[in-house]
Amino acid sequence: MDRPQAEARIRELRQQIQHHDFRYYVENRPEITDAQYDALVRELRELEAAYPDLVTADSPTQRVGGVVAEGFAAVEHRTPMLSLGNATSVEDLREFEARLGRALPGERFEYVAEPKVDGLGVALLYERGVLTRGATRGDGRVGEDVTHNLRTIRSLPLRLRGPLAELAVLEVRGEVFMRKEVFQRLNRELEEAGEAPFANPRNAAAGSVRQKDSGITAKRPLDIILYQVSHAEPNPFTTHWDALQRFREAGLSVNARVRHCPTLDDAITYCQALEAERERLEYEADGVVLKVNALQQQHLLGSTTHHPRWAIAYKFRARQAQTRIKRILVNVGRTGALTPAAELEPVEIAGATISRATLHNADEVTRLDVREGDLVLVERAGDVIPHVIEVVPEPEHAVRAPFVMPERCPVCGSQAHRPEGEVVRRCANSACPAQVKERLLHFGSRRSMDIEHLGEAVVNQLVEKGLVKNLADLYHLTVPTLAELDRLAEKSATNLYNAIRRSKDRGLPRLLFGLGIRHVGEHVAEILAAHTGSMERLLRASAEELAEIHGVGPRIAAGVAHFFAQEENVRVVERLKAAGVKMEEAVAPGPKPLAGKTFVLTGTFSSMSRDSARDLITRLGGRVTAAVSKKTDYVVAGKEAGSKLEDARRLGVTTLDEAAFLVLVGKA
Ligand code: IVH
């Protein structure tokens, strides 16, 4: 190939790769396989290696980091990157509109509402369609040049497409962020490597963008969404909504949840709906940004020194609050794990009064250096147990006593060991009342044996009065005995008695889960039950045999073997059997063609709801999980499939579109 031919081919390859990046990273709709894509990149790399002077900054080969910055160059923003005024109520939003009306009397206002993604604000400069610079917000006036690191973000185009690519200058602003799932994975990896985890996705994104070594940034998948034109020469836009649509055409990714709101009431409805959806978003968002749609009006309204007058941030209710630690207690779980927890001065967070927060384990207590009496920041997000985020610095902290994990079980006083390589200390006494209580609660829980009325108050008494020492004792309780418990009238005692009796027929999988064997969750219990068919056969199986079962492996097999090596456990199982607890697999009617298969659903389906799809899979013996892992068998992608599809591709998991899924489940 001579030089002109190489030049032409390079141009062609770059265009193709750019197109496929967009399909893959922005639209989630790839057209070619990963291998085909890699072949294009490889060919381009080889040509560029042969003609190094043809390498340009916007070449897709220049994404992968490797450049180590000395420090970041300062970038003075052409127009300052302002912050936003806040609204915390609907009244505040109405007042915002009233202010607009006073500034521009007689005018009507339309709005655009956007999720306020919690990440790192950046400004991207495109010159004639080529990304020439990316900068952080910094103090708003001067930011840092982080071009090398931003280039590693795959959803960020290095070159624009269509009409916007023609503009001499286009500066757009947006947010770099890390999806919750990626954040959790990153933290797990950091912890495994013995490094400090990030407190939240925003810090993780900021830490990654400001990495000196862009090779590290490249390994931490970040995303970007663009939400503002800050400068355009010439300026082709008339409304903000129109600008966002043109962004999309140009290959700039725009949040899929942006809405055009013709009236303030529409915007208010949007704010409330997004807040209700908050925990289900794939990224952290702390509010909604409401912007006046007409750019002419924006221009006339102008800005104060701090914020634009044409936009406002509606803040969701805070999920964090400060309070004081009254005491650090140590709980004992059903496996004997000692878990430190903070007893707090009650504080209201997002509508609930919080008086307890988990401290996870002793290492976490050391990392946070929390001490009794400390003022702390507590977070309550979604369904997760409230946790302590950090200690608020106070001079008194230094004179408070550091927390020391007890060496003995705080409940039964037995020695508590910390097995080598583990983060938790465990009470070794399996008859420890705290362990027995937790085991009973787990056994009776809805997903195990589902014993209604077997709550904490009842369990505490049963154990404290010595009526129940192990799971089998439950089935020997009588109505008169139960009726003697505090706050349990004859009728409730009968109800509980009947609930215990009914639980005998739950079947092997739920029984196995209920026994609380280490590493045996619901799914593993199902696999074990399906393979052995009965408790008897499971008891006879060796660890080696169990480890052979697909989905079990040596760690789980060892957990099972260890459990049944304890005579006490075997005795309990025998007594459960004698009491009439069913020890065979419960076989639900109908064929189970999807047994052992794991599915992840993403996007929307036209022929059924996501819930119906989930039910269908479960009925056919399959399982539906939330996150894609290497163990996922199929990702079923409907319309507007999200990041899970991307995860599937990366992990090499089979993906099915709706039609293929219907064929698989026999509905086509
Ligand atoms: S507009 C002058 N739109 O929130 C206009 N900002 O407090 C300001 N943010 O620093 C930017 N999502 O980093 C805008 N859809 C969105 C946003 C957004 C998140 C961040 C941004 C800014 C901060 C303002």
Side-chain angles (χ1 to χ4, degrees):
M1 201 182 280
D2 61 18
R3 191 185 161 87
Q5 281 171 328
E7 225 173 327
R9 180 63 185 152
I10 285 177
R11 212 173 314 121
E12 193 175 32
L13 285 167
R14 284 179 187 161
Q15 248 163 28
Q16 286 179 8
I17 293 168
Q18 188 198 348
H19 170 75
H20 293 304
D21 276 345
F22 180 74
R23 297 287 296 199
Y24 189 116
Y25 291 104
V26 180
E27 294 196 316
N28 278 323
R29 283 187 304 171
E31 289 167 342
I32 57 172
T33 65
D34 288 0
Q36 287 168 325
Y37 176 87
D38 292 344
L40 294 176
V41 176
R42 207 173 322 116
E43 187 185 347
L44 177 60
R45 245 184 242 294
E46 281 163 11
L47 282 173
E48 287 182 347
Y51 298 95
D53 59 313
L54 295 181
V55 178
T56 56
D58 68 329
S59 172
T61 59
Q62 302 304 297
R63 273 192 197 278
V64 251
V67 180
V68 179
E70 282 290 326
F72 299 106
V75 172
E76 192 165 340
H77 297 298
R78 193 190 298 257
T79 50
M81 290 178 79
L82 301 176
S83 60
L84 293 167
N86 287 338
T88 52
S89 63
V90 169
E91 293 73 60
D92 288 351
L93 292 175
R94 298 214 184 278
E95 172 52 30
F96 168 67
E97 183 164 70
R99 268 200 308 276
L100 298 178
R102 287 195 292 274
L104 301 178
E107 299 215 8
R108 275 195 62 244
F109 300 96
E110 291 192 358
Y111 305 91
V112 174
E114 308 169 1
K116 187 168 185 300
V117 177
D118 206 2
L120 180 76
V122 295
L124 306 178
L125 185 64
Y126 286 91
E127 291 174 288
R128 300 234 168 266
V130 176
L131 177 74
T132 50
R133 194 181 68 198
T136 61
R137 173 173 185 271
D139 65 3
R141 206 178 53 78
V142 180
E144 290 169 319
D145 185 332
V146 287
T147 316
H148 287 305
N149 289 348
L150 294 182
R151 276 183 196 291
T152 66
I153 302 175
R154 308 303 295 253
S155 49
L156 180 153
L158 302 179
R159 174 182 274 280
L160 301 179
R161 310 184 303 183
L164 293 194
E166 311 293 318
L167 300 181
V169 180
L170 176 68
E171 196 197 70
V172 293
R173 293 183 179 172
E175 201 84 355
V176 174
F177 63 99
M178 188 177 277
R179 278 179 286 119
K180 288 181 197 166
E181 227 179 301
V182 173
F183 164 73
Q184 280 152 8
R185 197 173 54 226
L186 171 65
N187 264 4
R188 267 200 306 276
E189 286 168 9
L190 287 173
E191 279 176 46
E192 277 163 22
E195 290 172 43
F198 287 103
N200 52 48
R202 198 179 62 77
N203 289 5
S208 306
V209 166
R210 301 192 62 258
Q211 264 293 328
K212 294 287 160 60
D213 178 354
S214 61
I216 296 181
T217 314
K219 289 202 197 93
R220 296 183 179 168
L222 295 169
D223 269 291
I224 190 168
I225 48 158
L226 286 314
Y227 48 61
Q228 202 65 30
V229 179
S230 44
H231 187 78
E233 283 173 36
N235 188 347
F237 309 110
T238 53
T239 66
H240 179 58
W241 184 248
D242 167 53
L244 294 180
Q245 308 315 310
R246 308 266 205 114
F247 278 14
R248 286 203 175 110
E249 282 165 28
L252 293 165
S253 77
V254 172
N255 195 319
R257 290 185 177 82
V258 295
R259 285 284 170 280
H260 176 219
C261 301
T263 68
L264 187 74
D265 282 331
D266 297 325
I268 290 170
T269 307
Y270 176 93
C271 289
Q272 290 163 341
L274 196 76
E275 182 155 15
E277 214 192 335
R278 178 180 195 185
E279 305 300 341
R280 291 191 298 276
L281 300 177
E282 58 275 23
Y283 43 77
E284 284 289 350
D286 58 350
V288 170
V289 182
L290 204 59
K291 298 171 181 171
V292 168
N293 189 27
L295 297 182
Q296 175 65 11
Q297 287 179 333
Q298 285 192 8
H299 177 74
L300 292 173
L301 288 161
S303 307
T304 70
T305 47
H306 297 297
H307 351 103
R309 292 195 188 87
W310 44 264
I312 193 158
Y314 169 81
K315 297 293 267 259
F316 294 152
R317 282 199 290 184
R319 293 188 303 195
Q320 299 184 345
Q322 283 190 5
T323 186
R324 213 166 270 290
I325 296 200
K326 289 209 279 200
R327 212 153 60 93
I328 296 177
L329 11 113
V330 176
N331 295 322
V332 185
R334 79 185 139 87
T335 59
L338 305 195
T339 317
E343 192 181 307
L344 308 167
E345 280 177 10
V347 61
E348 203 194 292
I349 309 180
T353 303
I354 305 300
S355 50
R356 281 275 183 106
T358 175
L359 290 165
H360 302 294
N361 55 52
D363 284 0
E364 176 73 357
V365 179
T366 312
R367 188 181 74 79
L368 294 168
D369 189 19
V370 271
R371 305 178 181 190
E372 290 186 344
D374 277 350
L375 188 63
V376 289
L377 187 64
V378 178
E379 180 174 77
R380 166 181 178 258
D383 317 326
V384 300
I385 307 167
H387 62 282
V388 173
I389 302 217
E390 62 185 18
V391 173
V392 180
E394 282 181 311
E396 296 85 342
H397 171 82
V399 296
R400 294 180 185 132
F403 175 75
V404 190
M405 199 68 181
E407 306 220 327
R408 293 191 163 273
C409 169
V411 177
C412 73
S414 329
Q415 195 69 39
H417 297 284
R418 179 171 180 164
E420 211 164 296
E422 288 199 21
V423 281
V424 293
R425 199 177 268 279
R426 281 176 207 281
C427 160
N429 168 23
S430 67
C432 168
Q435 288 190 42
V436 176
K437 284 179 189 172
E438 293 300 325
R439 277 203 291 274
L440 283 168
L441 285 170
H442 171 74
F443 187 76
S445 67
R446 208 166 41 78
R447 284 147 64 191
S448 311
M449 300 297 266
D450 194 13
I451 306 177
E452 229 186 311
H453 316 292
L454 188 67
E456 217 174 310
V458 170
V459 164
N460 284 349
Q461 293 186 65
L462 289 174
V463 175
E464 278 156 26
K465 291 192 177 19
L467 294 169
V468 174
K469 295 200 176 62
N470 60 49
L471 301 176
D473 289 345
L474 271 182
Y475 294 92
H476 295 280
L477 293 167
T478 60
V479 175
T481 318
L482 289 171
E484 276 175 36
L485 301 180
D486 285 350
R487 288 187 292 160
L488 218 59
E490 176 85 22
K491 178 144 185 295
S492 320
T494 310
N495 286 342
L496 175 55
Y497 175 80
N498 287 332
I500 295 174
R501 255 192 13 192
R502 277 198 306 274
S503 74
K504 292 179 185 178
D505 293 325
R506 300 282 181 245
L508 186 57
R510 290 170 66 167
L511 172 63
L512 284 177
F513 176 54
L515 288 177
I517 305 169
R518 264 188 96 188
H519 309 308
V520 178
E522 272 176 293
H523 178 52
V524 172
E526 273 165 27
I527 297 179
L528 289 170
H531 268 266
T532 56
S534 74
M535 182 67 85
E536 214 187 311
R537 254 170 285 159
L538 177 67
L539 276 164
R540 268 192 275 120
S542 68
E544 291 73 35
E545 285 170 67
L546 295 177
E548 289 291 302
I549 302 174
H550 180 71
V552 177
R555 190 178 67 118
I556 297 170
V560 176
H562 178 78
F563 184 86
F564 289 118
Q566 321 289 309
E567 255 175 64
E568 164 70 9
N569 290 336
V570 178
R571 214 167 25 242
V572 168
V573 169
E574 277 166 1
R575 286 185 57 220
L576 286 170
K577 184 169 185 189
V581 174
K582 194 160 173 262
M583 301 267 158
E584 282 78 42
E585 183 178 16
V587 186
K592 301 275 177 220
L594 304 183
K597 298 285 181 222
T598 310
F599 290 74
V600 171
L601 305 174
T602 176
T604 54
F605 306 116
S606 54
S607 62
M608 64 180 88
S609 70
R610 272 253 276 270
D611 282 342
S612 317
R614 175 189 304 272
D615 284 349
L616 183 60
I617 292 169
T618 320
R619 233 178 311 126
L620 298 177
R623 203 168 72 102
V624 179
T625 61
V628 185
S629 78
K630 278 197 206 127
K631 294 194 182 142
T632 308
D633 293 292
Y634 300 104
V635 170
V636 187
K639 271 200 227 56
E640 287 172 38
S643 56
K644 289 175 187 169
L645 186 56
E646 200 177 298
D647 293 341
R649 299 246 140 84
R650 204 185 47 246
L651 295 169
V653 173
T654 308
T655 60
L656 302 173
D657 61 13
E658 185 169 348
F661 172 66
L662 292 175
V663 171
L664 183 75
V665 296
K667 293 260 166 193

